[in-house]
Amino acid sequence: LLGRFFIGLTPKNTNEWRSAMNRAQKQTEIDQLKSTMDASEIVIVSHNKGMTVAQVTELRKTLRKNGAAYKVSKNTLVKRAITGTRYETVGDLLTGPTGISTTSGEPLVVAKTIFEFAKKFDGKLVIVGGAFGDLKLDAAAVEKLAKLPTLDQIRGTLIGLIQAPAAQLDRKSVV
């Protein structure tokens, strides 16, 4: 008796029900990716080949600590999400096992972190390229960005340069 009651509630083909759920989930994922891309200053695309769960977790924690994020998603969903955004140019980089790194904060921190992890994991994380605003980046450009000083490092250098002459004057007056 109970089986007959539930038969009327399920679709004729259970795959139709699963597809409808998947479409809704996919649309939610696309919307989330699109909002992330719109708010992001930089997008870096990398391939993760053979990274363990612990390594990906370590990468995510480090990026999160620096105000960034690392997302592994289906390439087709990412391509749909970037359509019509300033990051549409990275669509051709989305092949294979892809991870997307984004931030709405300091862009160089993401480039530095991904570059450091690519060296640390030796071939398991490969930088493919990305986009910085409207500028498309290849792997070499991401590496160059990673080697630039961050805004905080530049500020520290400037403060040090400004304070150095005052400290020298103070030392001369003591002598």
Side-chain angles (χ1 to χ4, degrees), residues 4-63:
R4 289 184 189 160
F5 177 73
F6 284 112
I7 290 174
L9 296 178
T10 59
K12 292 178 184 173
N13 183 352
T14 54
N15 287 335
E16 289 176 19
W17 182 75
R18 288 183 185 147
S19 298
M21 288 295 289
N22 284 337
R23 277 191 215 116
Q25 291 171 344
K26 287 177 184 178
Q27 189 57 48
T28 303
E29 178 76 13
I30 290 169
D31 293 341
Q32 288 175 347
L33 285 167
K34 193 173 202 80
S35 67
T36 300
M37 296 290 187
D38 287 339
S40 185
E41 293 293 321
I42 190 169
V43 172
I44 297 177
V45 179
S46 57
H47 284 170
N48 50 2
K49 300 177 179 181
M51 287 177 66
T52 64
V53 173
Q55 291 170 332
V56 173
T57 302
E58 182 184 351
L59 174 62
R60 284 188 172 129
K61 282 182 181 178
T62 305
L63 284 169

Side-chain angles (χ1 to χ4, degrees), residues 44-72 97-103 109-122 124-127:
I44 297 177
V45 179
S46 57
H47 284 170
N48 50 2
K49 300 177 179 181
M51 287 177 66
T52 64
V53 173
Q55 291 170 332
V56 173
T57 302
E58 182 184 351
L59 174 62
R60 284 188 172 129
K61 282 182 181 178
T62 305
L63 284 169
R64 198 174 309 122
K65 187 171 63 176
N66 293 319
Y70 179 78
K71 177 86 173 156
V72 175
T98 307
I100 306 290
S101 304
T102 59
T103 187
V109 172
V110 175
K112 285 180 181 300
T113 305
I114 292 294
F115 182 71
E116 288 171 11
F117 273 82
K119 286 193 315 188
K120 181 179 178 180
F121 295 144
D122 194 34
K124 291 183 178 181
L125 182 68
V126 179
I127 298 170

Side-chain angles (χ1 to χ4, degrees), residues 61-108:
K61 282 182 181 178
T62 305
L63 284 169
R64 198 174 309 122
K65 187 171 63 176
N66 293 319
Y70 179 78
K71 177 86 173 156
V72 175
S73 188
K74 290 188 172 199
N75 293 332
T76 53
L77 297 180
V78 177
K79 286 178 184 178
R80 287 183 184 167
I82 62 175
T83 302
T85 68
R86 60 184 172 168
Y87 297 117
E88 198 165 4
T89 57
V90 300
D92 59 331
L93 302 175
L94 299 171
T95 58
T98 307
I100 306 290
S101 304
T102 59
T103 187
S104 56
E106 174 67 36
L108 295 181

